[in-house]
Amino acid sequence: KAGVTQTPRYLIKTRGQQVTLSCSPISGHRSVSWYQQTPGQGLQFLFEYFSETQRNKGNFPGRFSGRQFSNSRSEMNVSTLELGDSALYLCASSPDLNQPQHFGDGTRLSIL
Amino acid sequence: QKEVEQDPGPLSVPEGAIVSLNCTYSNSAFQYFMWYRQYSRKGPELLMYTYSSGNKEDGRFTAQVDKSSKYISLFIRDSQPSDSATYLCAMSASSGTASKLTFGTGTRLQVTL
């Protein structure tokens, strides 16, 4: 069974640009969550989607947004990129709510 | 103060040793407790998942949860060089926000030959 797939693996952007990251969950998983990982702050929860609805949101500015499609695939978007947005962005999926989450290998975003 | 505290290490042990990794937390609403292993340039891999207090064993790994002390542990028996990685504890509250995981900072483990 294929794991969580995130694309692209690496991305370089400049300040002020916007970026879209993609996540394909494990087949049959309906819940998708996104996390930001940085050396200083560790892993921080961004948001969670289930049945195309955002169910939970972390403490991030409105520049961070996401969506989930009917096939459970998810995208997150970051607008007006700042240097501090450089991080590893991780997607996790689970079969249903309150189930263990399985992570992809992430998209490493670098802002110049 | 962070909700979840974890010693960042690094922790260096010889092959075959028993490793003890720990986290403390302050939020008494946490009900689900997890341990993840993360290799360099990879995403976190789920090792153990427990609900509420008690012990859970899976092969060389044992997870313990003591909710009265707000303390969780992961024990690795007969440690191998392939266990060298960063170990992250994670936890979440029950019901509606259970998918929001709060992580420790991770403990870097090095198992030497």
Side-chain angles (χ1 to χ4, degrees):
Chain A
K1 202 172 190 179
V4 177
T5 303
Q6 292 187 245
T7 56
R9 288 295 312 278
Y10 302 93
L11 207 48
I12 300 174
K13 292 286 187 179
T14 57
R15 280 181 297 174
Q17 288 187 310
Q18 74 165 15
V19 67
T20 299
L21 311 181
S22 180
C23 172
S24 293
I26 293 171
S27 177
H29 285 197
R30 299 191 295 163
S31 174
V32 173
S33 298
W34 288 88
Y35 294 81
Q36 181 195 65
Q37 186 174 30
T38 60
Q41 298 298 318
L43 270 147
Q44 293 185 289
F45 173 79
L46 279 159
F47 28 65
E48 182 216 357
Y49 287 87
F50 182 82
S51 293
E52 302 178 65
T53 301
Q54 186 181 91
R55 290 185 55 87
N56 288 296
K57 191 176 192 305
N59 294 327
F60 280 82
R63 301 185 296 107
F64 291 81
S65 63
R67 59 178 176 168
Q68 186 181 34
F69 303 95
S70 58
N71 62 359
S72 294
R73 193 176 67 84
S74 178
E75 289 181 347
M76 68 163 281
N77 183 277
V78 188
S79 62
T80 318
L81 287 164
E82 300 177 359
L83 291 177
D85 297 333
S86 294
L88 180 66
Y89 290 88
L90 292 159
C91 171
S93 75
S94 60
D96 206 331
L97 299 172
N98 306 337
Q99 297 282 311
Q101 295 178 39
H102 299 269
F103 284 81
D105 287 334
T107 294
R108 183 161 298 281
L109 176 63
S110 298
I111 312 301
L112 304 179
Chain B
Q1 185 185 3
K2 292 188 174 183
E3 276 190 293
V4 180
E5 298 281 355
Q6 184 176 9
D7 187 334
L11 179 63
S12 183
V13 301
E15 183 180 9
I18 297 175
V19 176
S20 172
L21 304 167
N22 312 292
C23 288
T24 59
Y25 63 95
S26 57
N27 187 346
S28 58
F30 287 145
Q31 297 280 348
Y32 299 91
F33 303 92
M34 288 134 277
W35 285 96
Y36 286 87
R37 177 176 62 193
Q38 186 173 24
Y39 291 113
S40 180
R41 304 188 201 286
K42 303 288 277 184
E45 171 192 3
L46 180 65
L47 285 176
M48 302 290 280
Y49 177 84
T50 54
Y51 172 71
S52 197
S53 286
N55 294 358
K56 184 175 182 178
E57 187 173 322
D58 184 1
R60 296 185 296 113
F61 299 93
T62 300
Q64 289 185 350
V65 175
D66 181 350
K67 290 189 65 184
S68 63
S69 302
K70 296 190 179 66
Y71 187 88
I72 70 170
S73 301
L74 177 72
F75 297 95
I76 307 174
R77 290 183 299 282
D78 188 25
S79 56
Q80 303 295 310
S82 58
D83 295 328
S84 298
T86 296
Y87 289 79
L88 298 148
C89 64
M91 44 200 82
S92 64
S94 59
S95 67
T97 60
S99 294
K100 177 186 174 183
L101 298 181
T102 300
F103 283 85
T105 52
T107 299
R108 193 153 54 93
L109 172 67
Q110 181 74 38
V111 181
T112 58
L113 291 169

